[in-house]
PDB file of all heavy atoms in Angstrom:
ATOM      1  N   LYS A   1       0.818  -1.225   0.000  1.00 92.00           N
ATOM      2  CA  LYS A   1       0.000   0.000   0.000  1.00 92.00           C
ATOM      3  C   LYS A   1       0.849   1.270   0.000  1.00 92.00           C
ATOM      4  O   LYS A   1       0.512   2.266  -0.643  1.00 92.00           O
ATOM      5  CB  LYS A   1      -0.937  -0.012   1.206  1.00 92.00           C
ATOM      6  CG  LYS A   1      -2.048   1.007   1.106  1.00 92.00           C
ATOM      7  CD  LYS A   1      -3.107   0.719   2.168  1.00 92.00           C
ATOM      8  CE  LYS A   1      -4.456   1.088   1.654  1.00 92.00           C
ATOM      9  NZ  LYS A   1      -5.371   0.090   1.300  1.00 92.00           N
ATOM     10  N   CYS A   2       1.974   1.247   0.711  1.00 92.00           N
ATOM     11  CA  CYS A   2       2.798   2.460   0.757  1.00 92.00           C
ATOM     12  C   CYS A   2       3.953   2.423  -0.251  1.00 92.00           C
ATOM     13  O   CYS A   2       4.790   3.319  -0.256  1.00 92.00           O
ATOM     14  CB  CYS A   2       3.304   2.714   2.171  1.00 92.00           C
ATOM     15  SG  CYS A   2       4.471   1.522   2.758  1.00 92.00           S
ATOM     16  N   GLY A   3       3.979   1.397  -1.099  1.00 93.00           N
ATOM     17  CA  GLY A   3       4.948   1.371  -2.187  1.00 93.00           C
ATOM     18  C   GLY A   3       6.338   0.895  -1.835  1.00 93.00           C
ATOM     19  O   GLY A   3       7.283   1.080  -2.599  1.00 93.00           O
ATOM     20  N   ILE A   4       6.484   0.239  -0.690  1.00 94.00           N
ATOM     21  CA  ILE A   4       7.803  -0.248  -0.279  1.00 94.00           C
ATOM     22  C   ILE A   4       8.176  -1.546  -0.991  1.00 94.00           C
ATOM     23  O   ILE A   4       9.341  -1.820  -1.252  1.00 94.00           O
ATOM     24  CB  ILE A   4       7.834  -0.462   1.255  1.00 94.00           C
ATOM     25  CG1 ILE A   4       7.827   0.887   1.956  1.00 94.00           C
ATOM     26  CG2 ILE A   4       9.045  -1.264   1.691  1.00 94.00           C
ATOM     27  CD1 ILE A   4       7.731   0.781   3.454  1.00 94.00           C
ATOM     28  N   VAL A   5       7.168  -2.355  -1.304  1.00 93.00           N
ATOM     29  CA  VAL A   5       7.460  -3.676  -1.869  1.00 93.00           C
ATOM     30  C   VAL A   5       6.470  -4.011  -2.969  1.00 93.00           C
ATOM     31  O   VAL A   5       5.333  -3.525  -2.978  1.00 93.00           O
ATOM     32  CB  VAL A   5       7.436  -4.753  -0.753  1.00 93.00           C
ATOM     33  CG1 VAL A   5       6.027  -5.000  -0.239  1.00 93.00           C
ATOM     34  CG2 VAL A   5       8.071  -6.056  -1.219  1.00 93.00           C
ATOM     35  N   LYS A   6       6.938  -4.834  -3.895  1.00 92.00           N
ATOM     36  CA  LYS A   6       6.089  -5.394  -4.951  1.00 92.00           C
ATOM     37  C   LYS A   6       6.265  -6.898  -4.913  1.00 92.00           C
ATOM     38  O   LYS A   6       7.141  -7.409  -4.218  1.00 92.00           O
ATOM     39  CB  LYS A   6       6.524  -4.854  -6.315  1.00 92.00           C
ATOM     40  CG  LYS A   6       6.428  -3.341  -6.425  1.00 92.00           C
ATOM     41  CD  LYS A   6       6.978  -2.860  -7.740  1.00 92.00           C
ATOM     42  CE  LYS A   6       6.907  -1.328  -7.808  1.00 92.00           C
ATOM     43  NZ  LYS A   6       7.510  -0.791  -9.009  1.00 92.00           N
ATOM     44  N   GLY A   7       5.470  -7.590  -5.663  1.00 92.00           N
ATOM     45  CA  GLY A   7       5.626  -9.034  -5.727  1.00 92.00           C
ATOM     46  C   GLY A   7       6.747  -9.426  -6.670  1.00 92.00           C
ATOM     47  O   GLY A   7       7.315  -8.591  -7.381  1.00 92.00           O
ATOM     48  N   ILE A   8       7.073 -10.722  -6.671  1.00 93.00           N
ATOM     49  CA  ILE A   8       8.064 -11.210  -7.623  1.00 93.00           C
ATOM     50  C   ILE A   8       7.410 -11.415  -8.991  1.00 93.00           C
ATOM     51  O   ILE A   8       8.088 -11.587  -9.998  1.00 93.00           O
ATOM     52  CB  ILE A   8       8.739 -12.511  -7.136  1.00 93.00           C
ATOM     53  CG1 ILE A   8       7.701 -13.604  -6.857  1.00 93.00           C
ATOM     54  CG2 ILE A   8       9.566 -12.233  -5.886  1.00 93.00           C
ATOM     55  CD1 ILE A   8       8.301 -14.957  -6.548  1.00 93.00           C
ATOM     56  N   SER A   9       6.071 -11.400  -8.993  1.00 92.00           N
ATOM     57  CA  SER A   9       5.279 -11.402 -10.221  1.00 92.00           C
ATOM     58  C   SER A   9       3.935 -10.779  -9.868  1.00 92.00           C
ATOM     59  O   SER A   9       3.687 -10.436  -8.715  1.00 92.00           O
ATOM     60  CB  SER A   9       5.093 -12.826 -10.760  1.00 92.00           C
ATOM     61  OG  SER A   9       4.208 -13.552  -9.921  1.00 92.00           O
ATOM     62  N   ARG A  10       3.052 -10.674 -10.823  1.00 90.00           N
ATOM     63  CA  ARG A  10       1.727 -10.096 -10.514  1.00 90.00           C
ATOM     64  C   ARG A  10       0.941 -10.984  -9.564  1.00 90.00           C
ATOM     65  O   ARG A  10       0.129 -10.491  -8.781  1.00 90.00           O
ATOM     66  CB  ARG A  10       0.925  -9.924 -11.809  1.00 90.00           C
ATOM     67  CG  ARG A  10       1.459  -8.828 -12.685  1.00 90.00           C
ATOM     68  CD  ARG A  10       0.543  -8.622 -13.839  1.00 90.00           C
ATOM     69  NE  ARG A  10       0.143  -7.220 -13.844  1.00 90.00           N
ATOM     70  CZ  ARG A  10      -0.627  -6.685 -14.755  1.00 90.00           C
ATOM     71  NH1 ARG A  10      -1.126  -7.420 -15.705  1.00 90.00           N
ATOM     72  NH2 ARG A  10      -0.924  -5.413 -14.700  1.00 90.00           N
ATOM     73  N   GLU A  11       1.152 -12.297  -9.650  1.00 93.00           N
ATOM     74  CA  GLU A  11       0.379 -13.238  -8.842  1.00 93.00           C
ATOM     75  C   GLU A  11       1.057 -13.641  -7.542  1.00 93.00           C
ATOM     76  O   GLU A  11       0.408 -14.113  -6.622  1.00 93.00           O
ATOM     77  CB  GLU A  11       0.093 -14.528  -9.636  1.00 93.00           C
ATOM     78  CG  GLU A  11      -0.711 -14.337 -10.910  1.00 93.00           C
ATOM     79  CD  GLU A  11       0.133 -13.824 -12.073  1.00 93.00           C
ATOM     80  OE1 GLU A  11       1.354 -14.086 -12.092  1.00 93.00           O
ATOM     81  OE2 GLU A  11      -0.435 -13.132 -12.939  1.00 93.00           O
ATOM     82  N   SER A  12       2.381 -13.493  -7.464  1.00 95.00           N
ATOM     83  CA  SER A  12       3.127 -14.050  -6.336  1.00 95.00           C
ATOM     84  C   SER A  12       3.950 -12.998  -5.606  1.00 95.00           C
ATOM     85  O   SER A  12       4.665 -12.215  -6.230  1.00 95.00           O
ATOM     86  CB  SER A  12       4.049 -15.170  -6.843  1.00 95.00           C
ATOM     87  OG  SER A  12       4.852 -15.666  -5.806  1.00 95.00           O
ATOM     88  N   PHE A  13       3.851 -13.019  -4.281  1.00 95.00           N
ATOM     89  CA  PHE A  13       4.702 -12.156  -3.475  1.00 95.00           C
ATOM     90  C   PHE A  13       6.059 -12.804  -3.241  1.00 95.00           C
ATOM     91  O   PHE A  13       7.063 -12.127  -3.110  1.00 95.00           O
ATOM     92  CB  PHE A  13       4.039 -11.839  -2.129  1.00 95.00           C
ATOM     93  CG  PHE A  13       4.914 -10.998  -1.241  1.00 95.00           C
ATOM     94  CD1 PHE A  13       5.144  -9.663  -1.537  1.00 95.00           C
ATOM     95  CD2 PHE A  13       5.529 -11.545  -0.126  1.00 95.00           C
ATOM     96  CE1 PHE A  13       5.976  -8.891  -0.743  1.00 95.00           C
ATOM     97  CE2 PHE A  13       6.357 -10.773   0.677  1.00 95.00           C
ATOM     98  CZ  PHE A  13       6.582  -9.444   0.364  1.00 95.00           C
ATOM     99  N   GLY A  14       6.086 -14.134  -3.166  1.00 95.00           N
ATOM    100  CA  GLY A  14       7.344 -14.840  -2.892  1.00 95.00           C
ATOM    101  C   GLY A  14       7.723 -14.779  -1.429  1.00 95.00           C
ATOM    102  O   GLY A  14       8.896 -14.641  -1.079  1.00 95.00           O
ATOM    103  N   ALA A  15       6.724 -14.921  -0.554  1.00 95.00           N
ATOM    104  CA  ALA A  15       6.941 -14.751   0.884  1.00 95.00           C
ATOM    105  C   ALA A  15       8.036 -15.655   1.445  1.00 95.00           C
ATOM    106  O   ALA A  15       8.828 -15.229   2.284  1.00 95.00           O
ATOM    107  CB  ALA A  15       5.631 -15.003   1.630  1.00 95.00           C
ATOM    108  N   ALA A  16       8.090 -16.893   0.986  1.00 95.00           N
ATOM    109  CA  ALA A  16       9.054 -17.853   1.537  1.00 95.00           C
ATOM    110  C   ALA A  16      10.414 -17.786   0.851  1.00 95.00           C
ATOM    111  O   ALA A  16      11.362 -18.425   1.299  1.00 95.00           O
ATOM    112  CB  ALA A  16       8.486 -19.271   1.440  1.00 95.00           C
ATOM    113  N   GLU A  17      10.529 -17.010  -0.207  1.00 95.00           N
ATOM    114  CA  GLU A  17      11.809 -16.909  -0.908  1.00 95.00           C
ATOM    115  C   GLU A  17      12.789 -16.073  -0.093  1.00 95.00           C
ATOM    116  O   GLU A  17      12.407 -15.118   0.570  1.00 95.00           O
ATOM    117  CB  GLU A  17      11.623 -16.263  -2.286  1.00 95.00           C
ATOM    118  CG  GLU A  17      10.901 -17.159  -3.258  1.00 95.00           C
ATOM    119  CD  GLU A  17      11.027 -16.645  -4.689  1.00 95.00           C
ATOM    120  OE1 GLU A  17      11.867 -15.756  -4.957  1.00 95.00           O
ATOM    121  OE2 GLU A  17      10.280 -17.159  -5.528  1.00 95.00           O
ATOM    122  N   LEU A  18      14.057 -16.439  -0.184  1.00 96.00           N
ATOM    123  CA  LEU A  18      15.083 -15.658   0.504  1.00 96.00           C
ATOM    124  C   LEU A  18      15.242 -14.322  -0.206  1.00 96.00           C
ATOM    125  O   LEU A  18      15.246 -14.257  -1.431  1.00 96.00           O
ATOM    126  CB  LEU A  18      16.410 -16.414   0.510  1.00 96.00           C
ATOM    127  CG  LEU A  18      16.382 -17.767   1.217  1.00 96.00           C
ATOM    128  CD1 LEU A  18      17.771 -18.405   1.197  1.00 96.00           C
ATOM    129  CD2 LEU A  18      15.876 -17.644   2.649  1.00 96.00           C
ATOM    130  N   ILE A  19      15.368 -13.273   0.570  1.00 96.00           N
ATOM    131  CA  ILE A  19      15.503 -11.943  -0.032  1.00 96.00           C
ATOM    132  C   ILE A  19      16.942 -11.739  -0.495  1.00 96.00           C
ATOM    133  O   ILE A  19      17.881 -12.128   0.197  1.00 96.00           O
ATOM    134  CB  ILE A  19      15.066 -10.828   0.941  1.00 96.00           C
ATOM    135  CG1 ILE A  19      14.918  -9.515   0.192  1.00 96.00           C
ATOM    136  CG2 ILE A  19      16.009 -10.701   2.123  1.00 96.00           C
ATOM    137  CD1 ILE A  19      14.112  -8.476   0.922  1.00 96.00           C
ATOM    138  N   SER A  20      17.093 -11.159  -1.659  1.00 95.00           N
ATOM    139  CA  SER A  20      18.441 -10.868  -2.159  1.00 95.00           C
ATOM    140  C   SER A  20      18.934  -9.563  -1.542  1.00 95.00           C
ATOM    141  O   SER A  20      18.148  -8.714  -1.096  1.00 95.00           O
ATOM    142  CB  SER A  20      18.438 -10.755  -3.684  1.00 95.00           C
ATOM    143  OG  SER A  20      17.732  -9.597  -4.089  1.00 95.00           O
ATOM    144  N   ARG A  21      20.237  -9.399  -1.543  1.00 95.00           N
ATOM    145  CA  ARG A  21      20.820  -8.185  -0.968  1.00 95.00           C
ATOM    146  C   ARG A  21      20.380  -6.941  -1.739  1.00 95.00           C
ATOM    147  O   ARG A  21      20.153  -5.885  -1.150  1.00 95.00           O
ATOM    148  CB  ARG A  21      22.341  -8.319  -0.947  1.00 95.00           C
ATOM    149  CG  ARG A  21      22.809  -9.357   0.066  1.00 95.00           C
ATOM    150  CD  ARG A  21      24.234  -9.827  -0.184  1.00 95.00           C
ATOM    151  NE  ARG A  21      25.230  -8.789  -0.063  1.00 95.00           N
ATOM    152  CZ  ARG A  21      25.896  -8.486   1.052  1.00 95.00           C
ATOM    153  NH1 ARG A  21      25.645  -9.154   2.156  1.00 95.00           N
ATOM    154  NH2 ARG A  21      26.802  -7.539   1.058  1.00 95.00           N
ATOM    155  N   GLU A  22      20.223  -7.067  -3.064  1.00 96.00           N
ATOM    156  CA  GLU A  22      19.794  -5.889  -3.822  1.00 96.00           C
ATOM    157  C   GLU A  22      18.321  -5.574  -3.574  1.00 96.00           C
ATOM    158  O   GLU A  22      17.947  -4.404  -3.464  1.00 96.00           O
ATOM    159  CB  GLU A  22      20.089  -6.037  -5.317  1.00 96.00           C
ATOM    160  CG  GLU A  22      19.347  -7.117  -6.039  1.00 96.00           C
ATOM    161  CD  GLU A  22      19.730  -7.200  -7.518  1.00 96.00           C
ATOM    162  OE1 GLU A  22      20.642  -6.478  -7.982  1.00 96.00           O
ATOM    163  OE2 GLU A  22      19.104  -8.021  -8.228  1.00 96.00           O
ATOM    164  N   ASP A  23      17.465  -6.597  -3.444  1.00 95.00           N
ATOM    165  CA  ASP A  23      16.056  -6.336  -3.154  1.00 95.00           C
ATOM    166  C   ASP A  23      15.875  -5.739  -1.760  1.00 95.00           C
ATOM    167  O   ASP A  23      15.043  -4.853  -1.550  1.00 95.00           O
ATOM    168  CB  ASP A  23      15.226  -7.612  -3.284  1.00 95.00           C
ATOM    169  CG  ASP A  23      14.914  -7.965  -4.736  1.00 95.00           C
ATOM    170  OD1 ASP A  23      15.295  -7.184  -5.634  1.00 95.00           O
ATOM    171  OD2 ASP A  23      14.297  -9.019  -4.969  1.00 95.00           O
ATOM    172  N   LEU A  24      16.658  -6.229  -0.816  1.00 95.00           N
ATOM    173  CA  LEU A  24      16.630  -5.675   0.539  1.00 95.00           C
ATOM    174  C   LEU A  24      16.962  -4.180   0.499  1.00 95.00           C
ATOM    175  O   LEU A  24      16.286  -3.360   1.128  1.00 95.00           O
ATOM    176  CB  LEU A  24      17.646  -6.447   1.379  1.00 95.00           C
ATOM    177  CG  LEU A  24      17.927  -6.032   2.807  1.00 95.00           C
ATOM    178  CD1 LEU A  24      18.297  -7.261   3.628  1.00 95.00           C
ATOM    179  CD2 LEU A  24      19.065  -5.031   2.877  1.00 95.00           C
ATOM    180  N   THR A  25      17.971  -3.827  -0.288  1.00 96.00           N
ATOM    181  CA  THR A  25      18.385  -2.425  -0.377  1.00 96.00           C
ATOM    182  C   THR A  25      17.315  -1.572  -1.054  1.00 96.00           C
ATOM    183  O   THR A  25      17.036  -0.447  -0.630  1.00 96.00           O
ATOM    184  CB  THR A  25      19.729  -2.310  -1.115  1.00 96.00           C
ATOM    185  OG1 THR A  25      20.681  -3.178  -0.483  1.00 96.00           O
ATOM    186  CG2 THR A  25      20.258  -0.886  -1.083  1.00 96.00           C
ATOM    187  N   VAL A  26      16.694  -2.122  -2.104  1.00 97.00           N
ATOM    188  CA  VAL A  26      15.613  -1.391  -2.791  1.00 97.00           C
ATOM    189  C   VAL A  26      14.454  -1.127  -1.831  1.00 97.00           C
ATOM    190  O   VAL A  26      13.912  -0.016  -1.776  1.00 97.00           O
ATOM    191  CB  VAL A  26      15.134  -2.166  -4.037  1.00 97.00           C
ATOM    192  CG1 VAL A  26      13.821  -1.599  -4.566  1.00 97.00           C
ATOM    193  CG2 VAL A  26      16.201  -2.131  -5.123  1.00 97.00           C
ATOM    194  N   MET A  27      14.062  -2.137  -1.062  1.00 96.00           N
ATOM    195  CA  MET A  27      12.958  -1.956  -0.118  1.00 96.00           C
ATOM    196  C   MET A  27      13.303  -0.923   0.956  1.00 96.00           C
ATOM    197  O   MET A  27      12.457  -0.123   1.369  1.00 96.00           O
ATOM    198  CB  MET A  27      12.584  -3.303   0.504  1.00 96.00           C
ATOM    199  CG  MET A  27      11.873  -4.229  -0.486  1.00 96.00           C
ATOM    200  SD  MET A  27      11.801  -5.971   0.024  1.00 96.00           S
ATOM    201  CE  MET A  27      10.762  -5.873   1.462  1.00 96.00           C
ATOM    202  N   CYS A  28      14.551  -0.908   1.399  1.00 96.00           N
ATOM    203  CA  CYS A  28      14.978   0.097   2.377  1.00 96.00           C
ATOM    204  C   CYS A  28      14.968   1.495   1.760  1.00 96.00           C
ATOM    205  O   CYS A  28      14.562   2.463   2.410  1.00 96.00           O
ATOM    206  CB  CYS A  28      16.365  -0.243   2.903  1.00 96.00           C
ATOM    207  SG  CYS A  28      16.374  -1.596   4.092  1.00 96.00           S
ATOM    208  N   ALA A  29      15.399   1.598   0.516  1.00 96.00           N
ATOM    209  CA  ALA A  29      15.393   2.902  -0.169  1.00 96.00           C
ATOM    210  C   ALA A  29      13.967   3.414  -0.320  1.00 96.00           C
ATOM    211  O   ALA A  29      13.694   4.613  -0.127  1.00 96.00           O
ATOM    212  CB  ALA A  29      16.069   2.786  -1.529  1.00 96.00           C
ATOM    213  N   ARG A  30      13.042   2.535  -0.644  1.00 95.00           N
ATOM    214  CA  ARG A  30      11.636   2.945  -0.759  1.00 95.00           C
ATOM    215  C   ARG A  30      11.077   3.355   0.596  1.00 95.00           C
ATOM    216  O   ARG A  30      10.248   4.267   0.689  1.00 95.00           O
ATOM    217  CB  ARG A  30      10.808   1.808  -1.362  1.00 95.00           C
ATOM    218  CG  ARG A  30      11.104   1.556  -2.838  1.00 95.00           C
ATOM    219  CD  ARG A  30      10.303   0.381  -3.330  1.00 95.00           C
ATOM    220  NE  ARG A  30      10.608   0.059  -4.717  1.00 95.00           N
ATOM    221  CZ  ARG A  30      10.439  -1.153  -5.251  1.00 95.00           C
ATOM    222  NH1 ARG A  30       9.958  -2.144  -4.510  1.00 95.00           N
ATOM    223  NH2 ARG A  30      10.730  -1.381  -6.508  1.00 95.00           N
TER     224      ARG A  30
END
């Protein structure tokens, strides 16, 4: 809702997937 995160696809959030270092940084930047 606040634009910090998106899914790994339109249908999937990927909750159980390990977060990559670059995705972690993107989410922190957002």
Side-chain angles (χ1 to χ4, degrees):
K1 195 167 213 107
C2 68
I4 289 175
V5 70
K6 300 175 182 176
I8 57 173
S9 71
R10 289 186 124 178
E11 299 79 27
S12 176
F13 177 71
E17 290 194 13
L18 299 182
I19 193 162
S20 69
R21 290 162 63 92
E22 65 181 5
D23 281 357
L24 175 149
T25 307
V26 167
M27 288 164 66
C28 284
R30 290 177 183 155

